[in-house]
Amino acid sequence: EDLHPSNHYRHAAEVFQEIAQSCPSYSQIESVEYSIPLCFWRLLSDGSLISEGRWGGGYDLEMAVSQGFQAFAEKYPRSSMADEALYQAGVRHYWVSHQSDSSLIRCNMTKIVAEHPDGDVLAAYATENAFLEAAIVERKFADFRPGAER
């Protein structure tokens, strides 16, 4: 069990959390803080952690991923990783709510389009995510509304 890849992600998340708490002025702190929810997200891909009830079960881990990415995007809005963090936070939150709460995913997709138009997320997911597509269309037609600056 110690050699299982999930244990590496769990251990890495713990190390990154320790670094973030004890070395806030570390030159790579942005990458460290992004890596925490990323490790949690990787843990989600291992169904045994969820089925065995580790890490509080799937719901708690999904919330940790969503909240971690959202916190990162809010703390580092100009980061090259902020668009991916916004995307992951929105998608995870939407799935945790069993697709009943689309407020965060809509808000985050709008932010991605407005604040990260040249980011990796638009290039990768523009036609794969209906919420992102809607935000792109909304942005394109915003200029044609009455009262919009031209």
Side-chain angles (χ1 to χ4, degrees):
E1 183 176 325
D2 287 342
L3 297 177
H4 196 279
S6 296
N7 289 333
H8 298 295
Y9 290 122
R10 182 182 53 79
H11 180 68
E14 292 167 356
V15 170
F16 289 135
Q17 287 173 323
E18 169 109 8
I19 292 169
Q21 291 172 355
S22 62
C23 305
S25 59
Y26 174 54
S27 64
Q28 299 296 314
I29 195 68
E30 186 177 308
S31 294
V32 167
E33 290 187 20
Y34 181 83
S35 296
I36 296 167
L38 181 63
C39 286
F40 289 147
W41 180 70
R42 297 284 188 200
L43 283 168
L44 280 171
S45 66
D46 180 5
S48 68
L49 288 172
I50 294 168
S51 64
E52 293 173 18
R54 293 194 208 163
W55 289 85
Y59 177 82
D60 291 342
L61 192 53
E62 282 275 11
M63 288 304 296
V65 171
S66 178
Q67 292 169 352
F69 278 128
Q70 190 69 32
F72 175 88
E74 291 170 6
K75 187 172 183 177
Y76 301 103
R78 291 185 175 87
S79 169
S80 63
M81 298 175 280
D83 60 334
E84 183 68 30
L86 287 166
Y87 184 83
Q88 291 299 332
V91 169
R92 298 292 134 220
H93 181 267
Y94 184 64
W95 285 106
V96 166
S97 76
H98 302 284
Q99 297 121 19
S100 66
D101 181 0
S102 63
S103 59
L104 186 63
I105 195 170
R106 288 178 189 278
C107 177
N108 283 3
M109 297 309 129
T110 299
K111 277 185 183 180
I112 290 168
V113 172
E115 299 171 13
H116 305 279
D118 299 321
D120 296 337
V121 168
L122 280 180
Y125 303 115
T127 60
E128 294 180 24
N129 183 295
F131 293 105
L132 188 55
E133 273 188 289
I136 292 167
V137 170
E138 177 71 23
R139 181 75 175 185
K140 284 180 181 179
F141 289 105
D143 293 338
F144 297 106
R145 290 196 184 124
E149 291 184 30
R150 294 185 215 281

